[in-house]
Amino acid sequence: MTDHRPDHRPDTDGLEDHDLGLSHDLPRILGRRRILGLAGGVGVAAALVACGTDDGVDLTAAGQRPEPPAGVGGGPGGPGGGSGGAASDVEVAEGEIPEETAGPYPGDGSNGANVLTESGVVRSDLTTSFGSASGTAEGVPVTIRLRVQDLSGENVAPLAGAAVYLWHCDRDGEYSMYSESIAEENYLRGVQETDAAGRVEFTSIFPACYDGRWPHMHFEVYSSLASATTYSNKMRTSQLALPEDVCREVYATEGYEQSVTNLERVTLDSDNVFSDGHSLQLARATGSVEEGYVVSLNVPV
């Protein structure tokens, strides 16, 4: 990818280099791209997956997922089918998180409304609407932690000062700004700027499983907050898959009854976005229904 990003700062995250393991050391010794070229990238990629990161999230699973052709999304991104949004010409290198469809309900200007231009969209708490809207999304609490990493250089580096736009459906499988019953709401959408370690954090509710799709969240990465105003400035669009065991725990609670039925009709391997591989997109989740969950994913771009 063309390197049009801000300067990068080391991601020590309070740890010494020798505490970060092989996933930290190998790219700094040989360079990320060079590693992936050795022996087809498979052996070293497997080692990186085994080591993971300091917070237990896989750094990458390069070489284990076929990359989709440039400009091709993963299929429908929401109820009713159809990929929606604009076609992508983003090039994805090996080891980077895949480019996926934004689906028909992105709210980024590619398919109707553009929430990115509204005052108040830069926020961490996505559970309530902002501006003239006042609704609150009900559901099991979830914290989403993403760490954006730059793979364009010789070293894996945190992408500080970038912006992440995250959105997902509500407990009923509907999307604010699009679904008729909540078209006037804009909750479950928001933007955050990555810190020096490339991290962003959102608080939200656990999304539904609607018919035909594995439980997921959408996100776009931008080079800066200033550029996060329209889809045409995005660096990457992708989707986060939620772990099955946690989905089953959540969907056993009140309000998620339809998700139980829908989850039985789909698997990660049959989902039209994740069926070609999900090793880079399957989030790690910890917590409980009573205390809420924390969902974590690394986003190498």
Side-chain angles (χ1 to χ4, degrees):
M1 293 179 61
T2 302
D3 188 6
H4 56 280
R5 305 158 195 167
D7 292 338
H8 313 302
R9 284 167 272 180
D11 181 7
T12 58
D13 209 27
L15 297 176
E16 298 297 332
D17 282 359
H18 61 265
D19 292 327
L20 296 177
L22 184 61
S23 64
H24 174 82
D25 295 333
L26 276 176
R28 298 180 183 279
I29 295 170
L30 296 178
R32 181 66 181 164
R33 308 285 183 180
R34 183 179 168 197
I35 285 177
L36 295 176
L38 296 176
V42 177
V44 174
L48 290 169
V49 173
C51 293
T53 67
D54 56 281
D55 60 5
V57 187
D58 290 344
L59 174 65
T60 181
Q64 298 192 9
R65 181 190 197 282
E67 297 295 345
V72 178
S83 59
S88 171
D89 59 359
V90 173
E91 294 183 9
V92 180
E94 188 175 23
E96 295 183 351
I97 199 158
E99 175 76 6
E100 303 285 11
T101 175
Y105 315 114
D108 61 1
S110 63
N111 188 27
N114 185 2
V115 75
L116 299 177
T117 60
E118 296 185 17
S119 176
V121 70
V122 179
R123 63 204 187 120
S124 60
D125 186 351
L126 310 184
T127 57
T128 59
S129 289
F130 60 94
S132 60
S134 58
T136 299
E138 301 294 333
V140 172
V142 62
T143 298
I144 305 105
R145 294 174 179 168
L146 305 179
R147 179 162 60 175
V148 185
Q149 296 165 316
D150 179 23
L151 302 189
S152 66
E154 287 297 304
N155 299 331
V156 177
L159 192 51
V164 176
Y165 167 42
L166 180 85
W167 75 97
H168 62 82
C169 72
D170 66 9
R171 186 171 62 179
D172 297 318
E174 298 185 327
Y175 284 84
S176 67
M177 304 174 66
Y178 291 89
S179 299
E180 183 176 358
S181 63
I182 53 173
E184 300 304 314
E185 303 294 345
N186 52 26
Y187 52 54
L188 309 184
R189 300 176 182 274
V191 176
Q192 279 284 282
E193 183 179 29
T194 60
D195 64 13
R199 297 180 185 273
V200 293
E201 180 174 302
F202 300 92
T203 56
S204 192
I205 58 98
F206 206 92
C209 177
Y210 50 77
D211 196 23
R213 281 302 319 274
W214 186 261
H216 63 282
M217 298 180 181
H218 299 261
F219 61 90
E220 292 174 342
V221 180
Y222 292 82
S223 61
S224 66
L225 275 179
S227 68
T229 56
T230 175
Y231 73 97
S232 59
N233 294 336
K234 69 179 183 178
M235 295 168 57
R236 184 67 43 84
T237 304
S238 198
Q239 298 186 27
L240 172 159
L242 293 162
E244 180 176 358
D245 58 341
V246 174
C247 290
R248 292 190 181 279
E249 291 172 2
V250 172
Y251 297 159
T253 65
E254 183 179 359
Y256 288 96
E257 290 82 4
Q258 187 58 44
S259 290
V260 175
T261 301
N262 292 337
L263 190 64
E264 296 304 322
R265 299 172 179 167
V266 67
T267 67
L268 276 166
D269 292 332
S270 67
D271 181 80
N272 54 25
V273 169
F274 302 123
S275 59
D276 59 350
H278 49 264
S279 58
L280 285 169
Q281 294 164 283
L282 183 59
R284 175 177 180 262
T286 59
S288 65
V289 168
E290 295 74 22
E291 297 182 0
Y293 291 90
V294 175
V295 171
S296 304
L297 185 72
N298 282 333
V299 182
V301 296

